[in-house]
Amino acid sequence: MKILGFLPPGIPYVFRTLFSVVLAPLSVLFAVDVLRTRFSVQIPIWVSALLCIVSIPLLFAARVVWKSQQEKQEAKRMGARFAPVMNGNWPGNVDVLLEFVRSSRNDYPGEVQLGWMAHLGTNVMDLRVLWEDILFTTEPEHIKAILATDFQNFIKGDKFKYSMRSVLGTGVFNADGDMWKFHRSMTRPFFSRDRISHFDIFDRHAEDAIARMKERFRSGYAINFQDLASRFTLDSATEFLFGNDVRSLASPLPYPYSAPAAERSNVGLSHAEQFARAFAESQEIIADRSRVGATWPLQEMFKDKTKDPMKVVNGYIEPILREALEKKPSTEERGANGEKMEVEEGETLLDNLVKFTSDPIVLKDEILNILIAGRDTTASTLTFAIYLLAMHPPVLAKLRSEIMELIGPSRRPTYDDIRDMKFLRAVINETLRLFPVVPFNIRESVNSTTLPSSNPTEKPIYVPARTSTSYSVFLMHRRTDLWGPDAAEFDPDRFIDERLKKYLTPHPFIFVPFNAGPRICLGQQFAYNEMSFMLIRLFQSFSSVTLSPSSHPPGTLPPPEWSSAKGRKGIEKFWPKSHLTMYSLGGLWVNMEEAKDA
Ligand code: HEM
C-alpha cells in the first residue's frame, strides 16, 4: 500500500479487486489447459469463455456460502445467535447502504438506524452490506464490552485507519498497538491535575472572546457562537499544548447572512478561518468514506479528495512545527543536561514530543489529532449548551443564580468554585447526553467473540472475527427505557434529583460521552474546566440568549418537514450534523443581552 501511496486511492483499489476477480477465470483457463495437454480433452473455445465468465460470480457465491457456513458453526459452538439482519430489497443490501448514506447527509442524525431498529424490534442489528457483516448497537452492555471489558479484542482496525489516514495519519485517534501507546503516553502527563487547574489561559481568551461579542452586539448584529467558541478553544488549546496561541480571536468576526452585503464583504477569510474550513472539509470527506464502507476508494478514482483541504491544514500547522523543531535542544545539549526525557516544568506537549522524535510526519499527526480533540469537541459542546439554554430560559436563570451566589458578577472562578457548582456540571452533562460530540463510533473485532444479550434468557450475540462494529452513544443517551419517559427533554436536574439514583448510578455505561476503558478521553477534565470557565464568564456578562434564525445562511436551518416528526427531530431549531464530531450546520447565530448586574 505504501509503495502506491502517491496514487489516488481508487487505482490501487481497482487493481486489488481486479486481482481477486481474475483468479477465477485464470483457474478455469489452467484447468482447460491441463485437460487438453494431459488428458487430450478438447473443450470448445466458446465453452471455455462461458466458464471463465460464470466462474467469477460462482467463486464469489461459493466464498459467501462457505463463510456463512463457517460462521454458523462457530456461533453454534460459542452458544451464540446472530444479530437480527436488516434485509433490504436489493442484492448485497445495496439499497440499505444508499439509504444510510442519504440519511447521513440529509436527515436528523441516527434517524434511519432508529427506524430500522424499531422495524426489527431490537437495539442491535447487522446491516450486512455487500455480504459483509456490519454490526450496529445502542446497548450499554455492548458498548461496555467494546470499550472496556473486551477492549483488546476491539481495535480501530485497518479498514477504519486506511480510510482516515490521509487526514489523521497515524495519530492517537487513528492508531492501534504500539503507535497508540506511544501517542497516549506522550500526551497523558500534560493532563495532570496540576497542569489543568491553572485558569490563566482560559481567562485571557474568554475575556477576549466576550469583548468581541459585546462589540458586535452593540453594533446591532447577532454573532455566530459556534465560530466564536471554536476560536476560543483553538487559542486556548494551542497555548496549552504548544506554548503559542494562534490568535484566531484577533481576526474579524463574520457578519450574519442578513447583514448588508457591504459589511459581509469587508470581512475576508482569516488564516484561522481558512484552516478551520479546510479542517472541517477534510473531516467531512473522511466521515463520508467511512459511511460508504470498503468501496469508498471508487469515489476517489482520480484524486484523493482530502488533498486540497489538507494542503491548507498542513500550511497552517507547519510553522508551529518548525518553531518547535528550531527550539529543540541539540543531541549534545541534551547529553549535557543528562538526557532529561521526562516532562519538565513549563514544558509544552510539543516541546516534549520533539525530544522523542524529529519525524515531521509523526509530529504533524500528533498535533493534528490533538487539535481535533481539543478544539472541535469543547467548541461544539459549548455551542450546544448555548443553544439549549436559549431554548430553556428557566434553566439559564437557575444557572445564573448559582453563578451569582457562588462567584458573583465579576470574580474569576477557581478550580474549587467549579468543583462545587453542581448545577453547572449538570447543565454540561445534560448537554453531553443529548449532543455527545462523538455521536457514532466504530471498532473492528480481532477474533470472533460474543456480546451479551440484554434479555438474560436469550443467547449472546455472535460477532465474527474482523467485523466492523459500530455503536452510537448519541442514540443510547436518548433511549427512554434507559433514561425514563422524558429522555428527549433537556432537563439538567436529572443529574441531581432522584432520577440519578434510579437510572445512571446503577448503570454507569448509559452515559459515556467521553468513551470509557483504556481509550477514554484524555482531555475530559481539561474539557470540563474549560467549558465551565467559559460558561461562568459568559453568564457573568450576559443575562439572556436568543436564537437568531434570520442570521443563518440559507439551507442551514432544519427543513420545515421535520416539524411533524416525533422526538427531538420535531423540535430542533438547528441542524445537527456530524463528521468526526458533531456540529451545527451554518453555525449557531445568537443574540445576547448584557447583564445589568455585571
Ligand atoms: C466535550 C469535550 C470532549 C469530549 C466529549 C470528548 C470525547 C472523546 C471521545 C468520545 C474520545 C474517544 C474517541 C475514540 O476512541 O474513538 C476521545 C478521545 C480523546 N480525547 Fe477527548 N473529548 C473532549 C475533549 C477533549 C479535549 C479538550 C482534549 C485535549 C485537549 C481531548 C483529548 C482526547 C484524546 C487525546 C483522545 C484520544 C484517546 C485515545 O484514543 O487513547 N478531548 N475524546
Side-chain angles (χ1 to χ4, degrees):
M1 195 80 65
K2 269 209 167 129
I3 304 166
L4 300 175
F6 61 91
L7 291 173
I11 296 194
Y13 177 83
V14 167
F15 274 110
R16 275 197 313 275
T17 313
L18 273 182
F19 180 70
S20 61
V21 166
V22 297
L23 269 185
L26 280 181
S27 313
V28 169
L29 291 178
F30 179 70
V32 167
D33 193 50
V34 169
L35 285 174
R36 186 177 53 82
T37 51
R38 294 263 173 93
F39 306 103
S40 306
V41 178
Q42 292 297 334
I43 311 256
I45 290 181
W46 69 267
V47 175
S48 306
L50 192 66
L51 283 175
C52 284
I53 293 168
V54 295
S55 68
I56 297 172
L58 275 182
L59 180 71
F60 186 74
R63 271 195 206 141
V64 171
V65 171
W66 185 80
K67 187 167 172 252
S68 145
Q69 288 307 321
Q70 296 287 310
E71 288 182 354
K72 274 189 192 144
Q73 285 170 14
E74 190 171 46
K76 199 168 166 199
R77 263 201 317 278
M78 294 171 97
R81 65 186 168 104
F82 286 89
V85 178
M86 179 58 216
N87 281 315
N89 297 318
W90 296 8
N93 260 356
V94 172
D95 51 339
V96 169
L97 173 67
L98 293 178
E99 182 56 13
F100 176 68
V101 173
R102 187 207 59 77
S103 161
S104 316
R105 287 178 186 157
N106 304 321
D107 208 344
Y108 192 78
E111 276 300 287
V112 74
Q113 294 95 319
L114 267 188
W116 289 336
M117 287 190 295
H119 167 74
L120 295 168
T122 175
N123 291 311
V124 52
M125 60 182 170
D126 185 350
L127 299 180
R128 203 166 284 165
V129 169
L130 298 176
W131 299 275
E132 285 272 333
D133 295 301
I134 301 181
L135 292 186
F136 181 89
T137 180
T138 64
E139 282 294 356
E141 285 303 312
H142 296 172
I143 295 179
K144 180 176 173 181
I146 294 167
L147 298 180
T149 48
D150 202 8
F151 170 75
Q152 297 294 351
N153 200 35
F154 285 98
I155 56 173
K156 296 258 171 170
D158 288 342
K159 282 179 256 175
F160 174 85
K161 286 188 294 194
Y162 178 50
S163 65
M164 302 282 139
R165 190 156 300 158
S166 61
V167 174
L168 299 179
T170 55
V172 68
F173 282 125
N174 205 32
D176 286 315
D178 288 343
M179 186 52 113
W180 166 68
K181 284 189 189 144
F182 168 74
H183 281 296
R184 191 150 173 118
S185 61
M186 270 305 92
T187 319
R188 195 187 296 108
F190 293 88
F191 292 99
S192 65
R193 150 115 202 243
D194 187 42
R195 280 184 179 256
I196 60 168
S197 43
H198 300 302
F199 294 162
D200 292 356
I201 294 179
F202 300 150
D203 199 31
R204 229 170 316 115
H205 299 301
E207 199 175 308
D208 230 5
I210 290 169
R212 308 301 307 272
M213 290 168 77
K214 285 186 177 164
E215 194 187 318
R216 185 51 62 86
F217 290 139
R218 284 174 193 163
S219 70
Y221 291 112
I223 60 144
N224 177 356
F225 186 80
Q226 183 166 264
D227 165 76
L228 190 106
S230 304
R231 296 172 189 227
F232 163 70
T233 55
L234 180 64
D235 287 359
S236 303
T238 45
E239 186 166 351
F240 177 71
L241 298 163
F242 315 137
N244 274 333
D245 77 88
V246 294
R247 295 186 47 74
S248 64
L249 275 165
S251 313
L253 298 185
Y255 278 94
Y257 182 75
S258 48
E263 298 270 36
R264 280 189 284 140
S265 59
N266 272 343
V267 183
L269 272 192
S270 68
H271 201 31
E273 275 171 296
Q274 287 170 19
F275 160 76
R277 285 198 185 184
F279 204 19
E281 193 187 332
S282 27
Q283 288 182 55
E284 192 57 64
I285 294 163
I286 54 176
D288 217 45
R289 287 177 179 173
S290 73
R291 285 178 204 130
V292 176
T295 55
W296 70 264
L298 288 178
Q299 296 189 6
E300 299 184 38
M301 275 309 288
F302 303 109
K303 189 164 182 194
D304 177 342
K305 287 187 185 171
T306 60
K307 211 168 178 176
D308 290 341
M310 283 309 288
K311 244 190 223 153
V312 179
V313 169
N314 292 338
Y316 193 75
I317 285 179
E318 267 150 23
I320 304 179
L321 204 67
R322 241 194 334 267
E323 196 180 324
L325 282 169
E326 276 161 14
K327 267 191 351 200
K328 173 182 173 161
S330 64
T331 317
E332 300 83 71
E333 283 168 327
R334 286 160 62 197
N337 287 339
E339 278 288 327
K340 276 197 183 152
M341 298 307 265
E342 70 276 10
V343 180
E344 289 166 47
E345 184 72 28
E347 204 174 49
T348 66
L349 170 69
L350 199 50
D351 295 334
N352 189 44
L353 197 63
V354 293
K355 290 201 287 197
F356 289 83
T357 177
S358 302
D359 183 336
I361 309 262
V362 175
L363 290 170
K364 194 207 83 190
D365 291 350
E366 168 77 7
I367 292 178
L368 202 65
N369 280 248
I370 294 287
L371 275 185
I372 294 180
R375 183 190 84 123
D376 301 21
T377 51
T378 39
S380 290
T381 309
L382 280 168
T383 303
F384 301 144
I386 292 300
Y387 161 72
L388 290 164
L389 291 169
M391 297 274 282
H392 297 85
V395 179
L396 174 53
K398 192 166 167 183
L399 176 61
R400 279 203 87 231
S401 329
E402 186 180 58
I403 295 171
M404 291 303 147
E405 240 163 67
L406 284 169
I407 307 175
S410 55
R411 181 168 68 76
R412 173 177 142 166
T414 63
Y415 183 84
D416 290 340
D417 290 326
I418 287 177
R419 196 197 46 213
D420 293 342
M421 295 185 69
K422 302 272 175 295
F423 193 67
L424 171 62
R425 179 55 74 102
V427 167
I428 295 176
N429 280 342
E430 182 66 343
T431 305
L432 286 166
R433 184 182 71 83
L434 286 174
F435 296 104
V437 278
V438 185
F440 302 94
N441 212 328
I442 192 159
R443 296 289 191 263
E444 187 181 310
S445 59
V446 179
N447 300 309
S448 307
T449 186
T450 60
L451 293 171
S453 276
S454 51
N455 178 348
T457 64
E458 280 183 332
K459 289 179 178 173
I461 304 283
Y462 168 65
V463 184
R466 292 178 299 284
T467 297
S468 299
T469 310
S470 51
Y471 59 94
S472 173
V473 166
F474 176 83
L475 293 178
M476 177 179 72
H477 282 179
R478 295 167 173 223
R479 273 177 55 177
T480 47
D481 58 331
L482 302 175
W483 288 91
D486 61 353
E489 281 164 33
F490 174 68
D491 182 1
D493 278 318
R494 77 174 76 245
F495 281 91
I496 296 172
D497 64 23
E498 69 292 342
R499 285 172 292 179
L500 177 72
K501 281 205 188 99
K502 185 168 173 192
Y503 297 112
L504 182 56
T505 313
H507 308 290
F509 269 85
I510 67 172
F511 182 61
V512 282
F514 295 97
N515 262 9
R519 278 193 105 128
I520 193 168
C521 172
L522 272 171
Q524 176 170 347
Q525 210 45 52
F526 174 89
Y528 272 124
N529 288 345
E530 183 182 39
M531 296 186 294
S532 303
F533 192 95
M534 185 56 163
L535 286 173
I536 295 169
R537 281 311 211 189
L538 274 174
F539 292 114
Q540 284 177 320
S541 303
F542 300 101
S543 56
S544 70
V545 194
T546 44
L547 301 179
S548 175
S550 60
S551 304
H552 269 253
T556 60
L557 288 171
E561 60 274 17
W562 283 15
S563 58
S564 56
K566 280 202 224 132
R568 287 210 64 92
K569 181 179 173 183
I571 57 168
E572 228 64 278
K573 297 279 180 277
F574 81 109
W575 191 330
K577 282 259 175 187
S578 72
H579 33 59
L580 293 183
T581 51
M582 196 157 38
Y583 62 96
S584 168
L585 184 65
L588 186 80
W589 292 84
V590 296
N591 281 302
M592 293 190 187
E593 199 178 321
E594 278 186 45
K596 307 251 178 326
D597 45 5

